[in-house]
Amino acid sequence: MSLLVTGSIGIDTVKTPNGVSENCLGGSAIYFSMAASYFSPVRFVGVVGPDCPFVLEQVFAGKDVDLAGLEIREGSKTFRWTGTYHEDMDNRTTDHLELNVLAEASPKVPKSFSDSKFVFLANTAPNLQLELLEQVSEPMFVAADTMNCYIQRSLTDLKKLLKKIDCLIINEDEARELTEEQNLIKAAQVILDMGPKAAVIKKGGSGSLLCGVNGEKFILPAYPVEDVIDPTGAGDSFAGGFMGYLAQKQKEDFQSLKEAIAYGTVTASFTIAGFSLKGLESISKPDIDKRFETLRKITSF
Amino acid sequence: MSLLVTGSIGIDTVKTPNGVSENCLGGSAIYFSMAASYFSPVRFVGVVGPDCPFVLEQVFAGKDVDLAGLEIREGSKTFRWTGTYHEDMDNRTTDHLELNVLAEASPKVPKSFSDSKFVFLANTAPNLQLELLEQVSEPMFVAADTMNCYIQRSLTDLKKLLKKIDCLIINEDEARELTEEQNLIKAAQVILDMGPKAAVIKKGGSGSLLCGVNGEKFILPAYPVEDVIDPTGAGDSFAGGFMGYLAQKQKEDFQSLKEAIAYGTVTASFTIAGFSLKGLESISKPDIDKRFETLRKITSF
């Protein structure tokens, strides 16, 4: 079923203990779309400046990603991020940030995308996420991500957004900041009280937690990867596998959400095995399915 | 089947964000024995000074813990530990430590315990762990714990010990320090190369990892507890549930080890719900079994 993503396209420079990748393709919509495309056709909405050195038609060649929502905005510049990962690979420092086109008006959702049923609103200002969502006529399942700066600066808009979405997908620090709860089970409950019927809290190398509005819980470790090269995009790839699976299955019951978490987990495990899209772009659906079954095996007792 | 534990008995003062517990009963052998007693009879070996204010016969009244190996050493003093937990409850600082009797000769294993089949050597100097193990004639499955100070100061003895045990149970920081590997899957492999056929790495609130010598892996999240009062003794209770289950089942195959990890996990979840033994001593085996089934449910997909 139709899956729409709105999010960033970035020029990233990433430093990890394993090396440096300069001016490589990044951004939430990029990782999300590549991950989700293994499960479902993807409708892509994002904006860059004319300086963007990447041809997304080539990046997504052979993948079912519809770029009708890609805008190349004259007179603007592409988003840039430079970051350094610490030894444990779960924490990173932003060294340099140029919002550029992301600080301007959001791109439009094309008319041909307005009937999308599954929607992922990647990280941007909550008022823009709301604006983008309004352009989709009757979505069936909407998930969104947010981050610390919006929790701090745009809490009113974020709370408005939370009343209009089905699922919030955020990392543990953000969950603690948003809810002022240290305990993640309690934090998830506070998020559910704010509106969504499902809360997903990502814990990096320690896996993730899913809580449902009827008291359902699901906890899953990360897929064990021995050689983590670059964690950039892991969270967006997780969201891509998660939403892609739901769109493919056309379901949103808790059992499907659990399976989607597992698919998100294994999809992200490919992303972190290389810089930029290297780990994720070269795999096949059977590779994902194989890790899905391995994950089931190594977490069952 | 017979389960022997050697470990510490302590007078603890614990500060957490939830309050302070002064001069309460602690120590690895105490938590281990209380936890394991829900699964199997326990043979207890430990030593205190005459200053110890706790009567262990009363502490373990109604539990199947044989205190024939408890020594009250004249002229010595009981081990004391004072520590403070940080906000996240996964990290703590030792404010004050008096090894006292733990810095002296280890207690003797009574003759009546020398035929024990399952043995847990809790944290102490590796040469003392070796000495204690030599007093058991034909153990079937031996597990041990260690800690940073022995990795730093007694590595030669620790490596000798690792060749004589079946399973090492340590926390993630210790695993990284012992193996000089940041990645825990690789760290577990290095531990296995040192001798044991199973390596258990505890990750606090993020669960645990079990690796077997034939490449088997098992990863389990922690049981979700909303109100963590005091994490002291969680690791020893985990080991108690783990070893208690194996001794009860009289098996050591990988499937049994996986189930034992799950039993260790849920047993520890009771310990952290109160100071000292409060959370652990008042439960029943059906309480543990119920959480075991819940853990299976919330980790399955």
Side-chain angles (χ1 to χ4, degrees):
Chain A
M1 202 180 266
S2 50
L3 170 58
L4 173 74
V5 58
T6 69
S8 64
I9 305 156
I11 304 172
D12 287 355
T13 292
V14 183
K15 298 169 201 163
T16 81
N18 300 304
V20 179
S21 176
E22 281 185 276
N23 300 320
C24 61
L25 177 59
S28 57
I30 298 292
Y31 284 108
F32 181 96
S33 299
M34 187 62 79
S37 73
Y38 291 106
F39 299 89
S40 163
V42 179
R43 294 167 165 186
F44 183 104
V45 175
V47 56
V48 290
D51 62 328
C52 181
F54 308 106
V55 180
L56 296 195
E57 288 77 3
Q58 286 174 10
V59 169
F60 291 113
K63 315 281 178 189
D64 202 345
V65 178
D66 185 339
L67 295 168
L70 172 64
E71 181 192 351
I72 300 171
R73 190 170 295 170
E74 285 306 317
S76 192
K77 282 179 75 184
T78 306
F79 167 62
R80 286 181 179 265
W81 176 76
T82 299
T84 302
Y85 284 86
H86 306 176
E87 188 62 40
D88 71 356
M89 290 286 199
D90 258 352
N91 293 297
R92 70 184 187 189
T93 307
T94 291
D95 304 319
H96 184 70
L97 187 73
E98 287 178 40
L99 283 177
N100 295 331
V101 72
L102 293 191
E104 303 170 11
S106 60
K108 287 270 169 287
V109 175
K111 269 263 182 300
S112 60
F113 288 1
S114 66
D115 63 349
S116 298
K117 292 300 168 198
F118 287 78
V119 177
F120 184 67
L121 305 165
N123 234 321
T124 189
N127 63 321
L128 297 183
Q129 288 173 307
L130 279 162
E131 203 179 290
L132 286 157
L133 183 55
E134 277 163 14
Q135 299 170 58
V136 182
S137 51
E138 282 183 87
M140 178 176 150
F141 187 83
V142 180
D145 190 3
T146 192
M147 64 186 293
N148 299 56
C149 65
Y150 303 120
I151 296 168
Q152 288 152 17
R153 293 183 219 155
S154 314
L155 192 57
T156 308
D157 284 337
L158 181 57
K159 286 189 173 172
K160 261 188 227 166
L161 178 72
L162 286 171
K163 290 195 194 307
K164 303 208 171 185
I165 64 173
D166 302 285
C167 179
L168 182 69
I169 305 180
I170 52 176
N171 75 36
E172 59 182 321
D173 292 340
E174 293 158 357
R176 291 193 173 106
E177 186 157 358
L178 173 60
T179 63
E180 297 179 357
E181 271 293 350
Q182 187 67 22
N183 183 287
L184 294 180
I185 298 283
K186 287 185 181 176
Q189 189 52 56
V190 175
I191 291 168
L192 295 171
D193 291 344
M194 291 174 174
K197 57 191 179 209
V200 177
I201 300 179
K202 297 172 289 181
K203 301 189 287 174
S206 296
S208 58
L209 166 70
L210 162 70
C211 290
V213 80
N214 298 316
E216 310 98 324
K217 285 184 193 72
F218 178 55
I219 309 179
L220 192 68
Y223 185 91
V225 174
E226 291 190 27
D227 294 295
V228 179
I229 300 299
D230 174 15
T232 308
D236 300 307
S237 305
F238 173 93
F242 176 81
M243 291 296 286
Y245 177 74
L246 293 176
Q248 175 200 6
K249 206 178 171 195
Q250 304 180 33
K251 286 200 171 177
E252 47 163 326
D253 59 291
F254 201 76
Q255 177 58 31
S256 300
L257 293 177
K258 286 166 75 162
E259 291 160 10
I261 292 281
Y263 271 113
T265 298
V266 299
T267 307
S269 76
F270 290 103
T271 300
I272 64 181
F275 282 107
S276 186
L277 289 172
K278 278 204 188 69
L280 187 60
E281 67 188 356
S282 54
I283 58 168
S284 65
K285 183 65 178 13
D287 294 329
I288 294 176
D289 290 333
K290 195 175 161 197
R291 285 203 181 175
F292 181 86
E293 287 310 324
T294 301
L295 184 62
R296 198 198 293 274
K297 189 176 164 213
I298 64 176
T299 58
S300 303
F301 57 92
Chain B
M1 202 179 265
S2 48
L3 170 60
L4 173 74
V5 58
T6 69
S8 64
I9 306 156
I11 304 172
D12 287 355
T13 292
V14 183
K15 297 168 202 165
T16 82
N18 299 305
V20 179
S21 177
E22 282 185 276
N23 299 319
C24 61
L25 177 59
S28 58
I30 297 292
Y31 284 108
F32 181 97
S33 299
M34 187 61 80
S37 72
Y38 291 107
F39 300 88
S40 162
V42 178
R43 293 168 165 184
F44 183 105
V45 174
V47 56
V48 290
D51 61 328
C52 182
F54 308 105
V55 180
L56 296 194
E57 288 77 5
Q58 286 174 11
V59 169
F60 291 113
K63 314 282 180 190
D64 202 346
V65 177
D66 185 339
L67 295 167
L70 171 64
E71 181 191 353
I72 299 170
R73 191 171 294 169
E74 286 305 318
S76 191
K77 282 178 75 184
T78 306
F79 167 61
R80 283 180 180 266
W81 176 76
T82 299
T84 302
Y85 283 87
H86 307 176
E87 188 62 39
D88 71 357
M89 289 286 200
D90 258 352
N91 293 297
R92 69 184 187 189
T93 307
T94 291
D95 303 318
H96 185 71
L97 187 74
E98 287 178 40
L99 282 177
N100 294 331
V101 72
L102 293 191
E104 304 169 11
S106 60
K108 286 271 167 288
V109 174
K111 269 262 179 302
S112 59
F113 287 1
S114 66
D115 63 349
S116 298
K117 292 300 167 198
F118 287 78
V119 178
F120 184 67
L121 305 165
N123 233 322
T124 190
N127 64 319
L128 296 183
Q129 288 173 308
L130 278 162
E131 202 179 292
L132 286 157
L133 184 55
E134 278 164 13
Q135 298 171 58
V136 182
S137 51
E138 281 182 87
M140 179 176 148
F141 187 83
V142 180
D145 189 2
T146 193
M147 64 187 292
N148 300 57
C149 65
Y150 303 120
I151 295 168
Q152 289 151 17
R153 292 184 218 154
S154 314
L155 192 57
T156 308
D157 283 339
L158 181 56
K159 287 190 172 172
K160 261 187 224 166
L161 178 72
L162 286 171
K163 291 195 193 308
K164 303 209 170 183
I165 65 173
D166 301 284
C167 179
L168 182 68
I169 305 179
I170 53 175
N171 74 36
E172 58 181 324
D173 291 340
E174 292 157 358
R176 291 194 173 105
E177 186 157 359
L178 173 60
T179 64
E180 296 178 356
E181 270 293 350
Q182 187 67 21
N183 182 286
L184 294 180
I185 298 283
K186 287 186 182 176
Q189 189 52 56
V190 175
I191 291 168
L192 295 172
D193 291 343
M194 291 175 174
K197 58 191 177 208
V200 177
I201 301 179
K202 298 173 288 181
K203 302 189 286 173
S206 296
S208 59
L209 166 70
L210 162 70
C211 290
V213 79
N214 297 315
E216 310 98 323
K217 287 184 193 70
F218 178 54
I219 309 178
L220 192 68
Y223 185 91
V225 174
E226 291 190 27
D227 294 295
V228 179
I229 300 298
D230 173 15
T232 310
D236 299 307
S237 303
F238 173 93
F242 176 80
M243 290 296 286
Y245 177 73
L246 292 176
Q248 175 200 7
K249 205 177 171 196
Q250 305 181 31
K251 284 198 171 177
E252 47 162 328
D253 59 291
F254 200 76
Q255 178 58 31
S256 300
L257 292 177
K258 285 166 76 162
E259 291 160 10
I261 291 281
Y263 271 113
T265 298
V266 298
T267 307
S269 76
F270 290 103
T271 300
I272 63 181
F275 283 107
S276 187
L277 289 171
K278 277 202 187 71
L280 187 60
E281 67 189 355
S282 54
I283 59 169
S284 65
K285 183 64 176 15
D287 295 328
I288 294 175
D289 290 333
K290 196 175 160 198
R291 285 202 180 177
F292 181 86
E293 288 309 324
T294 301
L295 184 62
R296 198 197 294 273
K297 190 176 162 214
I298 64 177
T299 58
S300 302
F301 57 92

